Amino acid sequence: MDPRLFLLISLCFLVQSSHGKESSLKLTTGVSSAALDPTRVTQISWSPRAFLYRGFLTDEECDHFIDLAKDKLEKSMVADNDSGKSIESEVRTSSGMFLKKAQDAIVAGVEEKIAAWTFLPVENGEAMQILHYEHGQKYEPHFDFFHDKANLELGGHRIATVLMYLSDVAKGGETVFPNSEISFKQKKGNDLSDCAKQGYSVKPRKGDALLFFSLHPDATTDNASLHGSCPVIEGEKWSATKWIHVRSFEAAPTRSKSDCADEDPNCTAWALKGECEKNPLYMVGSEDNAGYCRKSCKVCSS
């Protein structure tokens, strides 16, 4: 499905959620059964588009994630803007590790809840990352969408991020949006750190989940989605992050450039709208892999 359609569907659902209607979505599959309650969702901002779900995770789910991660933590890395490779940086001083997708029934169940809440497919998500911040550790403001071509090859841009808080934090550790249009509306009391006062901020609370979009509904990048994790002042911070892409993040079989075909029924319409030039990696392809719409982009012969 066109990723822009997914954006519009999820936006409509979240608008309805923010109106406080009493309803719930029952999700039942082979691995879990979970109830989503839109009345617990608060719309924080439209620029960036951000929503807070109170009590998204149970205490048991939070504790389970920490137990899975605490003996496997390594220094967190960042993506290099030019090469796309993971490198060490003082911009990010936490430690973390990645779970496997559907690693166990609890992990799979939470992944399903995320897909149901966001209206974005499970296969579009990366493996969940568990992060641990000790005193003074932080992640300076950054974007979750990519600046390099390498990371766009699989899954395209990150369309949305779901940040789940696995613990309370005595002081500090807030998630801050420095470019938020409503920063001035938030009361800057003593309960917020100095870092958190530099934008609109969300205090970590065990079980809560923050959803924000890195792309506009037209699939262009949103500079208002700049965000960071403020230094922990007292206590420690545990969180789990799920990054979701515009396409499947599961590796697809390499397609041959000798095949002149379209892999998506929307290719013709996308080509007429100029997507061959705007999104060449997906539409046309790269040196290593053929694109999904080579025929409509007229880069091959039938």
Side-chain angles (χ1 to χ4, degrees):
M1 182 181 290
D2 186 338
R4 287 166 289 194
L5 181 56
F6 274 123
L7 269 171
L8 292 174
I9 291 173
S10 59
L11 180 60
C12 291
F13 174 74
L14 290 167
V15 168
Q16 181 180 15
S17 300
S18 67
H19 290 341
K21 295 181 179 179
E22 293 187 2
S23 61
S24 65
L25 173 63
K26 190 69 174 180
L27 172 67
T28 305
T29 70
V31 295
S32 73
S33 177
L36 291 176
D37 184 359
T39 64
R40 295 185 181 182
V41 179
T42 302
Q43 170 220 325
I44 293 176
S45 167
W46 285 123
S47 180
R49 288 177 296 128
F51 305 84
L52 183 65
Y53 192 130
R54 295 290 189 187
F56 181 75
L57 297 180
T58 65
D59 284 350
E60 291 74 19
E61 289 169 333
C62 293
D63 295 342
H64 181 69
F65 286 154
I66 294 174
D67 288 340
L68 290 175
K70 61 185 178 182
D71 296 327
K72 303 178 180 67
L73 298 172
E74 297 180 355
K75 189 181 187 309
S76 298
M77 312 285 274
V78 299
D80 180 71
N81 284 341
D82 296 322
S83 67
K85 295 180 179 180
S86 295
I87 59 173
E88 291 189 11
S89 172
E90 288 306 308
V91 167
R92 190 183 196 188
T93 56
S94 60
S95 56
M97 58 83 68
F98 282 93
L99 302 177
K100 294 180 180 179
K101 295 181 78 170
Q103 178 169 326
D104 58 31
I106 294 177
V107 174
V110 171
E111 290 173 334
E112 289 182 350
K113 283 200 292 186
I114 292 171
W117 180 28
T118 63
F119 274 56
L120 295 168
V122 171
E123 61 267 24
N124 286 28
E126 296 183 32
M128 213 177 303
Q129 185 181 41
I130 309 300
L131 292 171
H132 181 226
Y133 296 82
E134 296 180 321
H135 180 266
Q137 292 185 331
K138 42 86 175 165
Y139 193 176
E140 292 183 4
H142 60 282
F143 297 108
D144 280 353
F145 56 75
F146 297 119
H147 300 276
D148 62 280
K149 293 182 178 180
N151 276 308
L152 288 170
E153 287 286 343
L154 178 59
H157 273 307
R158 289 168 173 164
I159 188 174
T161 299
V162 178
L163 175 59
M164 294 158 280
Y165 301 109
L166 306 181
S167 67
D168 295 319
V169 181
K171 190 172 183 180
E174 302 94 342
T175 302
V176 62
F177 293 90
N179 293 348
S180 172
E181 65 175 2
I182 61 168
S183 174
F184 69 94
K185 294 183 179 180
Q186 186 177 31
K187 294 181 179 180
K188 312 297 185 183
N190 293 331
D191 59 328
L192 294 179
S193 66
D194 290 340
C195 163
K197 296 175 183 179
Q198 303 306 308
Y200 190 93
S201 58
V202 177
K203 290 179 63 65
R205 193 173 82 170
K206 185 176 182 178
D208 288 355
L210 174 64
L211 163 64
F212 60 92
F213 289 86
S214 296
L215 304 183
H216 293 294
D218 64 358
T220 58
T221 55
D222 183 3
N223 288 330
S225 67
L226 184 74
H227 62 284
S229 180
C230 291
V232 171
I233 299 173
E234 293 182 19
E236 60 180 347
K237 175 183 177 181
W238 286 91
S239 63
T241 303
K242 169 67 77 170
W243 290 295
I244 309 171
H245 292 252
V246 297
R247 301 191 304 272
S248 173
F249 195 72
E250 297 173 359
T254 300
R255 296 177 305 285
S256 172
K257 288 187 177 181
S258 63
D259 296 334
C260 190
D262 289 336
E263 303 291 335
D264 192 292
N266 295 304
C267 283
T268 301
W270 289 342
L272 290 173
K273 293 179 180 179
E275 291 297 320
C276 300
E277 294 76 24
K278 296 176 183 177
N279 193 9
L281 285 175
Y282 177 80
M283 299 289 287
V284 177
S286 65
E287 293 181 1
D288 300 322
N289 201 5
Y292 288 82
C293 300
R294 288 170 53 78
K295 183 177 180 180
S296 290
C297 290
K298 299 179 181 180
V299 295
C300 60
S301 300
S302 301

Coordinates of all heavy atoms in Angstrom, one line a residue, residues 47-117:
S47 N 2.7 19.7 15.1 CA 4.0 20.0 14.5 C 5.1 20.0 15.5 O 5.4 21.0 16.2 CB 3.9 21.4 13.8 OG 5.2 21.7 13.2
P48 N 5.7 18.8 15.7 CA 5.5 17.6 15.0 C 4.2 16.9 15.4 O 3.6 17.2 16.5 CB 6.7 16.7 15.4 CG 6.9 17.1 16.8 CD 6.7 18.6 16.8
R49 N 3.7 15.9 14.6 CA 2.5 15.2 15.0 C 3.0 14.2 16.1 O 3.7 13.2 15.8 CB 1.9 14.4 13.8 CG 1.2 15.4 12.9 CD 0.7 14.7 11.6 NE 1.7 14.2 10.8 CZ 1.8 13.0 10.4 NH1 0.8 12.1 10.7 NH2 2.8 12.5 9.6
A50 N 2.5 14.4 17.3 CA 2.9 13.6 18.5 C 1.7 13.2 19.4 O 0.9 14.1 19.6 CB 4.0 14.3 19.2
F51 N 1.7 12.0 19.9 CA 0.6 11.5 20.7 C 1.2 10.7 21.9 O 2.2 10.0 21.7 CB -0.3 10.6 19.9 CG -0.8 11.3 18.6 CD1 0.0 11.3 17.5 CD2 -2.0 12.0 18.6 CE1 -0.5 12.0 16.3 CE2 -2.5 12.6 17.5 CZ -1.7 12.6 16.3
L52 N 0.6 10.9 23.0 CA 1.0 10.2 24.2 C -0.1 9.2 24.7 O -1.2 9.6 24.9 CB 1.3 11.1 25.4 CG 1.9 10.6 26.7 CD1 3.2 9.9 26.4 CD2 2.0 11.6 27.8
Y53 N 0.3 7.9 24.9 CA -0.6 6.9 25.3 C -0.3 6.5 26.7 O 0.8 5.9 27.0 CB -0.5 5.7 24.4 CG -1.6 4.6 24.5 CD1 -2.2 4.1 23.4 CD2 -1.9 4.1 25.8 CE1 -3.2 3.1 23.5 CE2 -2.9 3.1 25.9 CZ -3.5 2.6 24.7 OH -4.5 1.6 24.8
R54 N -1.1 6.9 27.7 CA -0.9 6.6 29.1 C -1.2 5.1 29.4 O -2.2 4.5 29.0 CB -1.8 7.4 30.0 CG -1.5 8.9 29.9 CD -0.2 9.3 30.6 NE -0.1 10.7 30.7 CZ 1.1 11.3 31.1 NH1 2.1 10.5 31.5 NH2 1.2 12.6 31.2
G55 N -0.2 4.4 29.9 CA -0.4 3.0 30.3 C -0.4 2.1 29.1 O -1.1 1.1 29.1
F56 N 0.4 2.4 28.1 CA 0.4 1.5 26.9 C 1.0 0.1 27.2 O 0.5 -0.9 26.7 CB 1.3 2.2 25.8 CG 1.4 1.4 24.5 CD1 0.3 1.4 23.6 CD2 2.5 0.7 24.2 CE1 0.4 0.6 22.4 CE2 2.6 0.0 23.0 CZ 1.5 0.0 22.1
L57 N 2.0 0.1 28.1 CA 2.6 -1.2 28.5 C 2.2 -1.5 30.0 O 2.0 -0.5 30.8 CB 4.1 -1.1 28.5 CG 4.8 -0.9 27.1 CD1 6.3 -0.9 27.2 CD2 4.4 -2.0 26.1
T58 N 2.1 -2.7 30.3 CA 1.8 -3.1 31.7 C 3.2 -3.1 32.4 O 4.2 -3.2 31.8 CB 1.2 -4.5 31.7 OG1 2.2 -5.5 31.2 CG2 -0.1 -4.6 30.9
D59 N 3.1 -3.1 33.7 CA 4.3 -3.2 34.5 C 5.1 -4.5 34.2 O 6.3 -4.5 34.1 CB 4.0 -3.2 36.0 CG 3.6 -1.8 36.5 OD1 3.8 -0.9 35.8 OD2 3.2 -1.8 37.7
E60 N 4.4 -5.6 33.9 CA 5.0 -6.9 33.6 C 5.7 -6.8 32.3 O 6.8 -7.3 32.2 CB 3.9 -8.0 33.6 CG 3.3 -8.4 34.9 CD 2.3 -7.3 35.4 OE1 1.8 -6.5 34.6 OE2 2.0 -7.3 36.6
E61 N 5.2 -6.1 31.3 CA 5.8 -6.0 30.0 C 7.1 -5.1 30.2 O 8.2 -5.5 29.6 CB 4.9 -5.3 29.0 CG 3.8 -6.3 28.6 CD 2.7 -5.6 27.8 OE1 2.5 -4.4 28.0 OE2 2.0 -6.3 27.0
C62 N 7.0 -4.0 30.9 CA 8.2 -3.2 31.2 C 9.3 -4.0 31.8 O 10.5 -3.9 31.4 CB 7.8 -2.0 32.0 SG 6.7 -0.8 31.3
D63 N 9.0 -4.7 32.9 CA 10.0 -5.4 33.6 C 10.6 -6.5 32.8 O 11.8 -6.8 32.9 CB 9.4 -6.0 34.9 CG 8.9 -5.0 35.9 OD1 9.4 -3.8 35.8 OD2 8.1 -5.3 36.8
H64 N 9.8 -7.2 31.9 CA 10.3 -8.2 31.1 C 11.3 -7.7 30.1 O 12.3 -8.3 29.9 CB 9.1 -8.8 30.3 CG 9.5 -10.0 29.4 ND1 9.9 -11.2 29.9 CD2 9.5 -10.1 28.0 CE1 10.2 -12.0 28.8 NE2 9.9 -11.3 27.7
F65 N 11.0 -6.5 29.5 CA 12.0 -5.9 28.5 C 13.3 -5.6 29.2 O 14.4 -5.9 28.7 CB 11.4 -4.7 27.9 CG 10.3 -4.9 26.9 CD1 9.4 -4.0 26.6 CD2 10.3 -6.1 26.2 CE1 8.4 -4.2 25.7 CE2 9.3 -6.3 25.2 CZ 8.4 -5.4 25.0
I66 N 13.3 -5.1 30.4 CA 14.5 -4.8 31.2 C 15.3 -6.0 31.5 O 16.5 -6.1 31.3 CB 14.1 -4.0 32.5 CG1 13.6 -2.6 32.1 CG2 15.4 -3.8 33.3 CD1 13.1 -1.8 33.3
D67 N 14.5 -7.1 31.9 CA 15.2 -8.4 32.2 C 15.9 -8.9 31.0 O 17.0 -9.5 31.1 CB 14.2 -9.4 32.8 CG 13.7 -9.0 34.2 OD1 14.4 -8.3 34.9 OD2 12.6 -9.5 34.6
L68 N 15.3 -8.8 29.8 CA 15.9 -9.3 28.6 C 17.1 -8.6 28.2 O 18.1 -9.1 27.6 CB 14.9 -9.2 27.4 CG 13.7 -10.1 27.4 CD1 12.7 -9.8 26.3 CD2 14.1 -11.6 27.4
A69 N 17.2 -7.3 28.6 CA 18.3 -6.4 28.1 C 19.5 -6.2 29.1 O 20.6 -6.0 28.7 CB 17.7 -5.1 27.8
K70 N 19.2 -6.3 30.4 CA 20.2 -5.7 31.4 C 21.5 -6.4 31.4 O 22.5 -5.8 31.7 CB 19.6 -5.8 32.8 CG 19.2 -7.1 33.3 CD 18.5 -7.0 34.6 CE 18.1 -8.4 35.2 NZ 17.4 -8.2 36.5
D71 N 21.6 -7.6 30.9 CA 22.9 -8.3 30.9 C 23.6 -8.3 29.5 O 24.6 -8.9 29.3 CB 22.8 -9.8 31.3 CG 22.3 -9.9 32.8 OD1 22.7 -9.0 33.6 OD2 21.6 -10.9 33.1
K72 N 23.0 -7.5 28.5 CA 23.5 -7.6 27.2 C 23.7 -6.1 26.6 O 23.8 -5.9 25.4 CB 22.4 -8.3 26.3 CG 22.1 -9.7 26.7 CD 21.1 -10.3 25.8 CE 20.8 -11.8 26.2 NZ 20.1 -11.8 27.5
L73 N 23.8 -5.2 27.5 CA 23.9 -3.8 27.1 C 25.3 -3.4 26.5 O 26.3 -3.9 27.0 CB 23.6 -2.8 28.2 CG 22.2 -2.9 28.8 CD1 22.1 -2.1 30.1 CD2 21.2 -2.5 27.8
E74 N 25.3 -2.6 25.5 CA 26.6 -2.1 24.9 C 26.4 -0.6 24.6 O 25.3 -0.1 24.6 CB 26.9 -2.8 23.6 CG 27.2 -4.3 23.7 CD 27.5 -5.0 22.4 OE1 27.4 -4.3 21.4 OE2 27.8 -6.2 22.4
K75 N 27.5 0.1 24.5 CA 27.4 1.5 24.2 C 26.6 1.8 23.0 O 26.8 1.2 22.0 CB 28.8 2.1 24.1 CG 28.8 3.7 24.0 CD 30.2 4.2 23.9 CE 30.2 5.8 24.0 NZ 29.2 6.4 23.2
S76 N 25.7 2.8 23.1 CA 24.8 3.1 22.0 C 25.6 3.8 20.9 O 26.6 4.5 21.1 CB 23.7 4.0 22.5 OG 22.9 3.4 23.4
M77 N 25.2 3.5 19.6 CA 25.8 4.1 18.5 C 24.9 5.0 17.7 O 23.7 5.1 18.0 CB 26.2 3.0 17.5 CG 26.9 1.8 18.2 SD 28.6 2.2 18.6 CE 29.4 1.7 17.1
V78 N 25.4 5.8 16.8 CA 24.6 6.7 15.9 C 25.0 6.4 14.5 O 26.0 5.8 14.2 CB 24.8 8.2 16.2 CG1 24.5 8.5 17.7 CG2 26.3 8.6 15.9
A79 N 24.1 6.8 13.6 CA 24.3 6.5 12.1 C 25.1 7.7 11.6 O 24.7 8.9 11.7 CB 23.0 6.4 11.4
D80 N 26.2 7.4 10.9 CA 27.0 8.4 10.2 C 26.2 9.0 9.1 O 25.6 8.3 8.3 CB 28.3 7.8 9.7 CG 29.2 8.8 9.0 OD1 29.7 9.7 9.7 OD2 29.3 8.7 7.8
N81 N 26.2 10.3 9.0 CA 25.3 11.0 7.9 C 25.8 10.7 6.5 O 25.0 10.7 5.6 CB 25.3 12.5 8.1 CG 24.5 12.9 9.3 OD1 23.6 12.2 9.7 ND2 24.7 14.1 9.8
D82 N 27.1 10.4 6.3 CA 27.6 10.1 5.0 C 27.5 8.7 4.6 O 27.0 8.3 3.5 CB 29.0 10.7 4.9 CG 29.1 12.2 5.0 OD1 28.2 12.9 4.6 OD2 30.1 12.6 5.7
S83 N 28.0 7.8 5.4 CA 28.1 6.4 5.1 C 26.9 5.6 5.5 O 26.6 4.5 5.0 CB 29.4 5.8 5.7 OG 29.3 5.8 7.1
G84 N 26.2 6.1 6.6 CA 25.1 5.3 7.1 C 25.5 4.3 8.1 O 24.7 3.6 8.7
K85 N 26.8 4.1 8.3 CA 27.3 3.1 9.3 C 27.2 3.6 10.7 O 27.1 4.7 11.0 CB 28.8 2.8 9.0 CG 29.1 2.2 7.6 CD 30.6 1.9 7.4 CE 30.8 1.3 6.0 NZ 32.3 1.0 5.8
S86 N 27.1 2.6 11.6 CA 26.9 2.9 13.0 C 28.3 3.3 13.6 O 29.3 2.5 13.4 CB 26.4 1.7 13.8 OG 25.0 1.4 13.4
I87 N 28.4 4.4 14.3 CA 29.6 4.9 14.9 C 29.4 5.4 16.3 O 28.3 5.7 16.7 CB 30.2 6.0 14.1 CG1 29.3 7.2 14.0 CG2 30.6 5.6 12.7 CD1 29.9 8.5 13.3
E88 N 30.4 5.4 17.1 CA 30.3 6.0 18.5 C 30.3 7.5 18.4 O 31.0 8.1 17.6 CB 31.5 5.5 19.3 CG 31.4 4.0 19.7 CD 32.4 3.6 20.7 OE1 33.0 4.5 21.3 OE2 32.6 2.4 20.9
S89 N 29.6 8.1 19.3 CA 29.5 9.6 19.4 C 29.1 10.0 20.8 O 28.3 9.4 21.4 CB 28.5 10.1 18.4 OG 28.3 11.5 18.5
E90 N 29.7 11.1 21.2 CA 29.4 11.7 22.5 C 28.0 12.4 22.4 O 27.5 12.8 23.5 CB 30.4 12.7 22.9 CG 31.7 12.1 23.4 CD 31.5 11.1 24.4 OE1 30.9 11.4 25.5 OE2 32.0 9.9 24.3
V91 N 27.4 12.4 21.2 CA 26.0 12.9 21.1 C 25.1 12.0 21.8 O 24.0 12.4 22.4 CB 25.7 13.0 19.6 CG1 24.2 13.2 19.4 CG2 26.4 14.2 19.0
R92 N 25.4 10.7 21.9 CA 24.6 9.7 22.5 C 25.4 8.9 23.5 O 26.3 8.2 23.1 CB 24.0 8.8 21.4 CG 22.9 7.8 21.9 CD 22.5 6.9 20.7 NE 21.2 6.3 21.0 CZ 20.7 5.3 20.2 NH1 21.4 4.9 19.1 NH2 19.5 4.8 20.5
T93 N 25.1 9.0 24.8 CA 26.0 8.4 25.8 C 25.3 7.2 26.5 O 25.8 6.8 27.5 CB 26.4 9.4 26.8 OG1 25.3 10.1 27.3 CG2 27.3 10.5 26.1
S94 N 24.1 6.8 26.1 CA 23.4 5.7 26.7 C 24.1 4.4 26.4 O 25.0 4.3 25.6 CB 22.0 5.7 26.3 OG 21.9 5.5 24.9
S95 N 23.5 3.3 26.9 CA 23.9 1.9 26.5 C 22.6 1.2 26.1 O 21.5 1.6 26.5 CB 24.5 1.2 27.6 OG 23.7 1.1 28.8
G96 N 22.7 0.2 25.2 CA 21.5 -0.4 24.8 C 21.7 -1.7 24.1 O 22.9 -2.2 23.9
M97 N 20.7 -2.3 23.6 CA 20.7 -3.6 22.8 C 19.5 -3.8 22.0 O 18.4 -3.1 22.3 CB 21.0 -4.8 23.7 CG 19.9 -5.0 24.8 SD 18.4 -5.9 24.3 CE 19.1 -7.5 24.0
F98 N 19.5 -4.6 21.0 CA 18.3 -4.9 20.2 C 17.8 -6.2 20.5 O 18.5 -7.2 20.6 CB 18.7 -4.8 18.7 CG 18.8 -3.4 18.1 CD1 20.0 -2.8 18.1 CD2 17.7 -2.8 17.7 CE1 20.2 -1.5 17.6 CE2 17.8 -1.5 17.1 CZ 19.0 -0.9 17.1
L99 N 16.4 -6.3 20.7 CA 15.8 -7.6 20.8 C 15.6 -8.1 19.4 O 15.7 -7.4 18.4 CB 14.4 -7.4 21.5 CG 14.4 -6.7 22.9 CD1 12.9 -6.6 23.3 CD2 15.1 -7.6 23.8
K100 N 15.2 -9.4 19.3 CA 14.8 -9.9 18.0 C 13.3 -9.7 17.8 O 12.6 -9.6 18.8 CB 15.1 -11.4 18.0 CG 16.6 -11.8 18.1 CD 16.8 -13.3 18.0 CE 18.3 -13.6 18.1 NZ 18.5 -15.1 18.1
K101 N 12.9 -9.5 16.6 CA 11.5 -9.3 16.3 C 10.8 -10.6 16.7 O 11.2 -11.7 16.3 CB 11.3 -9.0 14.8 CG 11.9 -7.6 14.4 CD 11.7 -7.3 12.9 CE 10.3 -6.8 12.7 NZ 10.2 -6.3 11.3
A102 N 9.7 -10.4 17.4 CA 8.9 -11.6 17.8 C 9.7 -12.5 18.6 O 9.6 -13.8 18.5 CB 8.2 -12.3 16.7
Q103 N 10.6 -12.0 19.4 CA 11.6 -12.8 20.2 C 10.9 -13.8 21.1 O 11.3 -15.0 21.3 CB 12.5 -11.9 21.0 CG 13.5 -12.7 21.9 CD 14.6 -11.7 22.4 OE1 15.0 -10.8 21.8 NE2 15.0 -12.0 23.6
D104 N 9.8 -13.4 21.7 CA 9.0 -14.2 22.6 C 7.5 -13.7 22.5 O 7.2 -12.7 21.8 CB 9.5 -14.3 24.0 CG 9.6 -13.0 24.7 OD1 8.8 -12.1 24.4 OD2 10.4 -12.8 25.6
A105 N 6.6 -14.4 23.2 CA 5.2 -14.0 23.1 C 5.0 -12.6 23.6 O 4.1 -11.9 23.0 CB 4.4 -15.0 23.9
I106 N 5.7 -12.1 24.6 CA 5.5 -10.8 25.1 C 6.0 -9.7 24.1 O 5.3 -8.7 23.8 CB 6.2 -10.6 26.5 CG1 5.5 -11.5 27.5 CG2 6.1 -9.1 26.9 CD1 6.1 -11.4 28.9
V107 N 7.2 -9.9 23.6 CA 7.7 -9.0 22.6 C 6.8 -9.0 21.3 O 6.4 -7.9 20.8 CB 9.1 -9.4 22.1 CG1 9.6 -8.6 21.0 CG2 10.1 -9.4 23.3
A108 N 6.3 -10.1 20.9 CA 5.4 -10.2 19.7 C 4.1 -9.5 20.0 O 3.6 -8.8 19.1 CB 5.2 -11.6 19.3
G109 N 3.6 -9.6 21.2 CA 2.4 -9.0 21.6 C 2.5 -7.5 21.6 O 1.6 -6.8 21.1
V110 N 3.6 -7.0 22.1 CA 3.8 -5.5 22.1 C 3.9 -5.0 20.7 O 3.4 -3.9 20.3 CB 5.0 -5.1 22.9 CG1 5.3 -3.6 22.8 CG2 4.7 -5.4 24.4
E111 N 4.6 -5.7 19.8 CA 4.8 -5.3 18.4 C 3.4 -5.3 17.7 O 3.2 -4.4 16.9 CB 5.7 -6.3 17.7 CG 7.2 -6.2 18.1 CD 8.1 -7.2 17.6 OE1 7.6 -8.3 17.2 OE2 9.3 -7.0 17.4
E112 N 2.5 -6.2 18.1 CA 1.2 -6.1 17.5 C 0.4 -4.9 18.0 O -0.3 -4.3 17.2 CB 0.5 -7.4 17.9 CG 1.0 -8.7 17.1 CD 0.2 -9.9 17.5 OE1 -0.6 -9.8 18.4 OE2 0.3 -10.9 16.8
K113 N 0.6 -4.6 19.3 CA -0.1 -3.4 19.8 C 0.3 -2.2 19.1 O -0.5 -1.3 18.8 CB 0.1 -3.3 21.3 CG -0.7 -4.3 22.2 CD -0.8 -3.8 23.6 CE 0.5 -3.9 24.4 NZ 0.4 -3.6 25.8
I114 N 1.6 -2.1 18.9 CA 2.2 -0.9 18.2 C 1.6 -0.8 16.8 O 1.2 0.2 16.3 CB 3.7 -1.0 18.1 CG1 4.3 -0.8 19.5 CG2 4.3 0.0 17.1 CD1 5.8 -1.1 19.6
A115 N 1.5 -2.0 16.1 CA 1.0 -2.0 14.7 C -0.5 -1.6 14.7 O -1.0 -0.8 13.8 CB 1.1 -3.3 14.1
A116 N -1.2 -2.0 15.7 CA -2.7 -1.7 15.8 C -2.9 -0.2 16.1 O -3.8 0.4 15.6 CB -3.3 -2.6 16.8
W117 N -2.1 0.3 17.0 CA -2.2 1.7 17.4 C -1.8 2.7 16.2 O -2.5 3.6 15.9 CB -1.3 2.0 18.6 CG -1.4 3.4 19.1 CD1 -2.5 4.3 19.0 CD2 -0.4 4.1 19.8 NE1 -2.1 5.5 19.6 CE2 -0.9 5.4 20.1 CE3 0.9 3.8 20.3 CZ2 -0.1 6.4 20.8 CZ3 1.6 4.7 21.0 CH2 1.1 6.0 21.2

